[in-house]
Amino acid sequence: MSEDRKRMRFLVTAGPTREPIDPVRFLSNRSSGKMGYALALAALNRGHEVVLISGPVALKSPAVAESISVETALEMFAAVESRIQSADAAIFCAAVADYRPVSVAEEKIKKTADHMQLELTRNPDILGSAREQFGFRGILVGFAAETNDLESHARGKLRRKGCDLLVANDVSRSDIGFGSEKNEVTLFFSDGDRLHLACASKQEIAEEVIREIEKLIEDRKGASEKASSIELNQAE
Ligand code: C5P
């Protein structure tokens, strides 16, 4: 790490969540966790402290300060809630299941009727809880996988969830995104700026994203130091 680059604390969520139906079945999605793990590794390679909170994936965790494995959205919520306060930046890359079964059968469900209904209930929005519920004041980064109207959906999410940065990718394309080694994303910043990162490996994309987040952390620190020195001068 270069002399002038500061060690920062990152929290990263990655992978899918699994929502059990019975002891052998669950609802989940196609997230491989590759992008989240690439971000954790990129932050680590740049000398930062990383806490990685991951759903079930077939990937080896990089040598981060803390690696926490979770299954369900509720477990991920609790893991984030207990650790987010000490982070300078929190990156929410996990593909959290939006719904979970209302009840989990204790025994394997038998096939009897021709039709069956599964009642689902909403999972908490972990990223959407960061500001008000967890009281997180650091740099908040969300991801958005969209199939249409990328910019308007991304900007809406950025605002609603109180993010400083929203990383959006177009999942209607089969050559990038889910499961792929490559990605192409657009970064939308809360000040209205945007930055397109051309198709590259997920590791290269992750390095660019971490660099952008470092700048946001530095700017936020600079602004709060300036504000407290103005307060100090006014008090004198
Ligand atoms: O609303 P949507 O699911 O598209 O938002 C995606 C972003 O929100 C991602 O950063 C994802 O990690 C986060 N998210 C979350 N908890 C949820 C749903 C999404 O943290 N329950």
Side-chain angles (χ1 to χ4, degrees):
M1 184 165 45
S2 76
E3 285 302 302
D4 54 354
R5 197 181 330 136
K6 302 218 172 58
R7 187 173 165 84
M8 298 164 179
R9 285 163 301 184
F10 283 75
L11 179 144
V12 180
T13 73
T17 65
R18 270 184 193 169
E19 310 299 330
I21 297 170
D22 69 13
V24 295
R25 302 183 179 97
F26 54 79
L27 295 175
S28 193
N29 60 62
R30 293 170 52 205
S31 167
S32 65
K34 282 179 188 162
M35 193 63 230
Y37 277 58
L39 286 158
L41 180 62
L44 194 66
N45 286 344
R46 290 181 64 76
H48 302 306
E49 186 182 309
V50 181
V51 173
L52 174 63
I53 300 174
S54 173
V57 293
L59 300 171
K60 200 167 161 285
S61 171
V64 294
E66 195 181 5
S67 176
I68 302 147
S69 298
V70 297
E71 289 250 336
T72 65
L74 292 179
E75 287 170 10
M76 187 173 277
F77 184 95
V80 170
E81 185 174 28
S82 64
R83 287 164 181 87
I84 195 169
Q85 286 307 341
S86 53
D88 296 304
I91 311 175
F92 288 77
C93 195
V96 182
D98 290 325
Y99 293 89
R100 68 179 183 279
V102 168
S103 60
V104 183
E106 276 180 31
E107 311 265 321
K108 184 179 171 196
I109 300 170
K110 296 286 174 212
K111 47 179 177 304
T112 46
D114 283 346
H115 298 276
M116 76 169 283
Q117 280 186 339
L118 204 54
E119 196 187 343
L120 304 178
T121 184
R122 275 290 282 274
N123 270 329
D125 185 341
I126 312 174
L127 170 58
S129 306
R131 293 292 190 215
E132 287 204 359
Q133 203 167 332
F134 306 156
F136 180 60
R137 308 276 296 273
I139 299 301
L140 190 60
V141 183
F143 271 69
E146 306 291 349
T147 53
N148 61 305
D149 298 332
L150 189 81
E151 173 146 14
S152 64
H153 283 134
R155 291 226 176 266
K157 240 166 242 184
L158 177 84
R159 226 182 10 258
R160 274 197 312 282
K161 302 197 185 206
C163 295
D164 299 288
L165 167 62
L166 203 290
V167 182
N169 64 338
D170 178 352
V171 286
S172 66
R173 284 176 56 179
S174 59
D175 54 331
I176 54 169
F178 279 139
S180 157
E181 294 301 327
K182 290 193 162 186
N183 211 350
E184 179 175 328
V185 298
T186 306
L187 276 51
F188 295 95
F189 294 87
S190 55
D191 64 1
D193 272 3
R194 60 180 283 167
L195 175 67
H196 183 77
L197 301 182
C199 191
S201 74
K202 285 187 174 170
Q203 203 54 55
E204 285 167 306
I205 297 279
E207 274 155 32
E208 285 294 322
V209 171
I210 295 295
R211 274 196 207 104
E212 291 301 321
I213 298 172
E214 285 172 356
K215 285 190 226 160
L216 292 173
I217 297 172
E218 290 291 355
D219 288 353
R220 176 76 48 92
K221 281 206 173 127
S224 71
E225 275 160 21
K226 202 169 156 197
S228 46
S229 91
I230 291 171
E231 263 176 37
L232 213 67
N233 289 340
Q234 281 170 347
E236 277 167 4

